[in-house]
Amino acid sequence: MRHFAVVGSGPAGFYTAEALEKAYGDKARIDILDRYPVPYGLIRFGVAPDHQSLKAVSKRYDKVAESAGVDFIGNVCVGTDVSVAELLELYDAVILAIGAPNDRRLGIPGENLPGVVGSAEFVGWYNGHPDFADLDPPLDGAHAAVVGAGNVALDCARILSKTRHEFEGSDIVGHALEALEASAVRTVTILGRRGPHQIAMTPKELGELGHLEAAVPIIDPADFPPVESDELLEPGLRKSVGLLRGFADLPHNKSKQILFDFFAKPVAIEGDGKAERIIVERTELDEKGGARGTGQTYEVPASLIVTAIGYSTPPLDGVAYDERGTKFLNENGRIADRLYAVGWARRGPTGTIGTNRPDGYEVADQVVAAMPAGSAGDRPGAERLKRLLAERGVMPTDYDDWRKIEETETTRARPGSPREKFVRQADWLQAIGR
Ligand code: NAP
């Protein structure tokens, strides 16, 4: 019998577990570990609460979790409760699927002022991540800014602009819904350091901005290159740019605005003890398509500034990092003997949920190549892990606990919401009688 540990229960972890289960059948036990008693990682804490159709992929993960060879071991933090080196003693292979939950930093003066939050924090706050339950982002000013021209920037701008009515059917947490309803924010400026042709925003997500109840997207037509040059773009990007061009024709007849400001690179954040404005340098494209400062600066008022400029994977003792420090150093997913990385921990923070499927299957193939299905393993797996955790006073949770928590969340749901998510570790544990 082989024993595999998959660390992290987001999309990458579940696809890898699914692939291993298919490859080994009843010749392997696969344990999916998570630091929380509830699974799904990015699906629960990252995907926007008003994108329920994307979250529905978790039904597929449920099937994996229910299969005979797979177990969920929650409430265990690898790196704190048990080390990677210890897991390698207990398991035939360890697959790190811990994602990239840390915000990249702008590295500019004023970034630490109150009012400046990373997108992982802000998204975590409205999605019920326990680490950010108390974030309390300042929503009492009229102006907010979001830095970055990717899909996460779009998520943040849209969530800041929606009405309560537009959150119906979402699983946004109650504290965020209340705060957003009372919000004074009327202008959200999206700052892209390059131009409309360099956005990382996809058409479906961008298109949503054109249909908001109380907010209208605004864009300066002067920011666009000649329309003929759109022909050279790949089809998805061409579609996104077409949508942006369409925004320039929309009437400004709503109470809130989402302002696209391109060729705008933040150089400092200023304010009296808290963020009040962001100083931006006008840029132009250099020969390689990068953002080159022109020396011309101006101010964008903002008492809330969300940086949505990408993420990094947190370090784990004894596991090597790539030179940019954003992901584990690996070759096609292999970090070292019997140690692998999948998902954002392998590739860096890019790609959609679906990208993780081939990624997980590819790494599972490598595991199979190193330990062919049917070959004997001599590691003890979960039984010994649980004993070790008990010695350390760590009480893991299991699949039944996860189900009980989800059931309780669903039972408590307010009208129009699929569930009322717990936002604190203590609430989760209380729901399972701890
Ligand atoms: P992203 O797509 O990599 O976008 C990051 C943005 O930040 C880019 O516009 C980048 O500009 C900008 N940026 C980076 N460093 C900066 C700096 N120092 N100053 C100013 N701007 C800076 O990352 P993301 O938005 O975090 O999304 C991560 C992944 O998740 C993406 O693959 C995304 O498509 C995916 N996602 C998908 C969905 C969905 O499908 N609904 C939703 C959310 C996220 P440059 O291009 O100039 O570097």
Side-chain angles (χ1 to χ4, degrees):
M1 178 69 78
R2 292 284 182 184
H3 293 273
F4 300 121
V6 175
V7 182
S9 69
F14 265 106
Y15 286 122
T16 308
E18 180 184 88
L20 289 171
E21 211 266 336
K22 278 189 183 160
Y24 287 89
D26 60 3
K27 301 287 185 289
R29 294 212 62 81
I30 301 143
D31 294 329
I32 304 178
L33 277 63
D34 201 289
R35 55 193 281 224
Y36 299 118
V38 285
Y40 309 143
L42 192 79
I43 303 284
R44 180 177 175 113
F45 297 122
V47 171
D50 56 343
H51 282 172
Q52 288 295 305
S53 57
L54 281 180
K55 295 196 179 209
V57 71
S58 63
K59 302 253 181 314
R60 176 176 179 151
Y61 308 154
D62 286 349
K63 291 217 166 58
V64 176
E66 282 159 14
S67 51
V70 177
D71 271 330
F72 176 75
I73 304 180
N75 214 27
V76 176
C77 185
V78 172
T80 308
D81 298 329
V82 59
S83 69
V84 172
E86 285 169 331
L87 285 181
L88 282 166
E89 287 296 312
L90 303 175
Y91 287 89
D92 291 287
V94 175
I95 298 102
L96 301 176
I98 63 170
N102 293 353
D103 282 304
R104 281 188 55 211
R105 312 257 311 153
L106 277 170
I108 61 173
E111 192 173 10
N112 293 327
L113 282 172
V116 186
V117 299
S119 56
E121 299 173 294
F122 186 62
V123 170
W125 170 72
Y126 62 64
N127 266 329
H129 191 298
D131 290 355
F132 309 116
D134 299 318
L135 186 72
D136 198 16
L139 297 168
D140 52 343
H143 302 283
V146 180
V147 182
N151 281 329
V152 172
L154 278 182
D155 280 348
C156 295
R158 188 182 69 256
I159 296 294
L160 279 167
S161 309
K162 276 197 161 180
T163 61
R164 186 180 185 105
H165 172 244
E166 288 176 291
F167 284 112
E168 257 175 42
S170 79
D171 66 345
I172 191 166
V173 293
H175 66 223
L177 186 63
E178 299 302 323
L180 289 165
E181 190 181 19
S183 162
V185 173
R186 288 295 168 270
T187 305
V188 181
T189 304
I190 298 180
L191 295 166
R193 65 176 168 181
R194 298 189 290 156
H197 273 197
Q198 287 76 37
I199 55 171
M201 297 165 167
T202 45
K204 185 183 160 292
E205 287 62 33
L206 200 51
E208 286 176 65
L209 290 200
H211 306 282
L212 296 177
E213 200 170 271
V216 64
I218 295 180
I219 187 162
D220 182 354
D223 277 344
F224 288 102
V227 70
E228 309 81 69
S229 60
D230 291 5
E231 287 307 314
L232 301 171
L233 302 174
E234 60 85 17
L237 182 55
R238 197 185 318 140
K239 201 167 175 192
S240 290
V241 172
L243 286 160
L244 279 180
R245 287 189 188 276
F247 291 167
D249 299 330
L250 290 176
H252 302 176
N253 57 357
K254 296 184 180 170
S255 59
K256 300 182 195 175
Q257 42 185 1
I258 299 172
L259 214 64
F260 284 88
D261 192 357
F262 286 113
F263 301 105
K265 184 176 83 166
V267 289
I269 293 165
E270 293 179 349
D272 189 6
K274 60 186 170 88
E276 290 173 10
R277 61 196 159 269
I278 181 159
I279 310 299
V280 169
E281 181 178 14
R282 191 51 82 215
T283 65
E284 57 190 15
L285 292 179
D286 64 19
E287 299 67 34
K288 291 183 176 159
R292 176 171 54 209
T294 62
Q296 182 202 340
T297 58
Y298 58 99
E299 288 180 17
V300 173
S303 43
L304 168 65
I305 297 166
V306 183
T307 60
I309 60 167
Y311 301 110
S312 63
T313 298
L316 276 176
D317 260 357
V319 185
Y321 265 78
D322 75 331
E323 68 286 357
R324 291 182 59 222
T326 54
K327 59 184 166 66
F328 295 124
L329 186 65
N330 71 89
E331 205 170 310
N332 298 325
R334 183 182 177 280
I335 300 174
D337 190 30
R338 302 189 294 109
L339 181 62
Y340 302 85
V342 288
W344 284 5
R346 168 192 174 182
R347 304 188 314 272
T350 59
T352 60
I353 290 159
T355 318
N356 293 299
R357 187 175 183 277
D359 186 303
Y361 273 72
E362 207 177 293
V363 168
D365 283 349
Q366 290 202 47
V367 176
V368 175
M371 308 167 198
S375 62
D378 58 0
R379 308 267 166 183
E383 197 192 313
R384 184 71 193 91
L385 171 67
K386 285 178 186 164
R387 229 184 308 149
L388 186 73
L389 292 171
E391 283 162 21
R392 293 176 182 173
V394 179
M395 289 171 71
T397 57
D398 62 15
Y399 177 79
D400 292 338
D401 295 327
W402 143 16
R403 284 304 186 199
K404 205 179 289 173
I405 291 169
E406 283 202 338
E407 230 169 75
T408 318
E409 287 183 329
T410 312
T411 318
R412 288 176 9 149
R414 61 178 178 271
S417 159
R419 67 165 60 154
E420 183 60 50
K421 286 192 283 191
F422 288 124
V423 295
R424 290 177 202 282
Q425 184 95 348
D427 292 334
W428 286 330
L429 297 180
Q430 197 182 19
I432 55 175
R434 294 242 180 117

